[in-house]
Amino acid sequence: MRNKSLACLVVVLAAVISLSTGCVRRTASMAKAPAPGDAATSAVAFLNKTFVVAPFVIPATDADLPTGYLPSIRSVPEAAPVQLDAALDADLAGSGQHFVPSKMAYTCARSAQRGNETGRLATMRYWQNIGKCAGADFVLVPLVIDWSEREGSAIGATKPASVNLSLTLIDVRTGGIVKTFHFNETQQTLAANILEAKKFVSRNGRWLSAMELAQEGLKQGVKELGL
């Protein structure tokens, strides 16, 4: 009976997705065009370049962010950065880009200086110095901003998981931001957001843990950054 119900639900979802896709196609000509250079970033600017991935950190103040501001209320378990480092390493393992070994990245993160600037400028200089220490062209800066674990089980959660993280790619030569990916999601039910039907189906109707949700975000971020 459960399999039959799930099959019916998938059929309904497919119909909804089909209808929404049709709407997108009819209005595609009105969509905003991609910014010049976005598509060429990974194909040209990253050609024969070297990358270093800084360790995940939990920002303490707004100055620890490349852009934006921290939520007024947030909480991240101390173990999360280590778990996220392992997940990001796994996602980048099959990349066609050249990455500096993780051991060197950690060594450079411990020894890099913040410089004489204050606030965000000092933080940006620190990340730039990590790249210089590693002899890289680009440094990938991962931050975990907020983390709320699921309450309940995969088949029945009383509170959904929520994750807020970012991946920022910095040009070591200039110290400027090349691209930023921001993932801030709280899992929702199908009834709460019908537009997330594809995610609902791909997750088999399960309530994800915070780590599973974060892993989805990392995979999406790696893809969008062209890594």
Side-chain angles (χ1 to χ4, degrees):
M1 179 63 72
R2 182 178 178 182
N3 291 337
K4 184 179 294 184
S5 299
L6 182 58
C8 292
L9 178 58
V10 171
V11 171
V12 172
L13 291 178
V16 172
I17 294 170
S18 177
L19 289 173
S20 62
T21 302
C23 293
V24 171
R25 287 174 180 169
R26 286 194 294 273
T27 59
S29 60
M30 299 177 64
K32 183 179 179 181
D38 283 354
T41 303
S42 60
V44 178
F46 294 171
L47 187 63
N48 298 322
K49 300 298 183 179
T50 299
F51 297 77
V52 60
V53 182
F56 254 100
V57 296
I58 305 170
T61 68
D62 292 342
D64 295 328
L65 301 174
T67 59
Y69 302 93
L70 292 173
S72 57
I73 301 176
R74 64 195 183 91
S75 176
V76 180
E78 293 183 2
V82 176
Q83 296 172 338
L84 289 169
D85 282 337
L88 183 55
D89 282 346
D91 287 335
L92 295 173
S95 171
Q97 308 295 350
H98 177 251
F99 286 89
V100 170
S102 298
K103 186 176 181 180
M104 179 181 290
Y106 278 93
T107 299
C108 288
R110 288 195 298 267
S111 63
Q113 300 298 312
R114 295 180 68 86
N116 299 321
E117 298 89 349
T118 59
R120 249 172 209 160
L121 288 176
T123 303
M124 295 296 290
R125 184 70 65 192
Y126 166 70
W127 290 329
Q128 184 183 20
N129 287 339
I130 290 177
K132 289 180 177 180
C133 168
D137 299 290
F138 298 96
V139 55
L140 180 63
V141 178
L143 303 175
V144 53
I145 300 166
D146 198 8
W147 185 282
S148 180
E149 189 53 83
R150 173 193 71 199
E151 293 181 6
S153 66
I155 60 175
T158 56
K159 178 184 176 183
S162 179
V163 172
N164 185 344
L165 59 81
S166 69
L167 300 175
T168 301
L169 196 61
I170 295 174
D171 187 320
V172 174
R173 183 180 62 83
T174 66
I177 295 175
V178 179
K179 282 185 176 182
T180 295
F181 169 79
H182 188 202
F183 180 82
N184 186 6
E185 182 173 338
T186 299
Q187 188 175 0
Q188 296 179 309
T189 64
L190 179 62
N193 191 349
I194 191 66
L195 297 179
E196 296 294 313
K198 287 185 178 180
K199 284 186 180 180
F200 181 86
V201 173
S202 67
R203 294 166 176 169
N204 297 318
R206 295 174 58 253
W207 290 99
L208 304 184
S209 66
M211 192 61 213
E212 289 173 323
L213 191 60
Q215 288 173 320
E216 284 193 0
L218 290 179
K219 290 181 184 300
Q220 182 182 345
V222 166
K223 182 178 180 180
E224 290 194 14
L225 292 179
L227 301 177

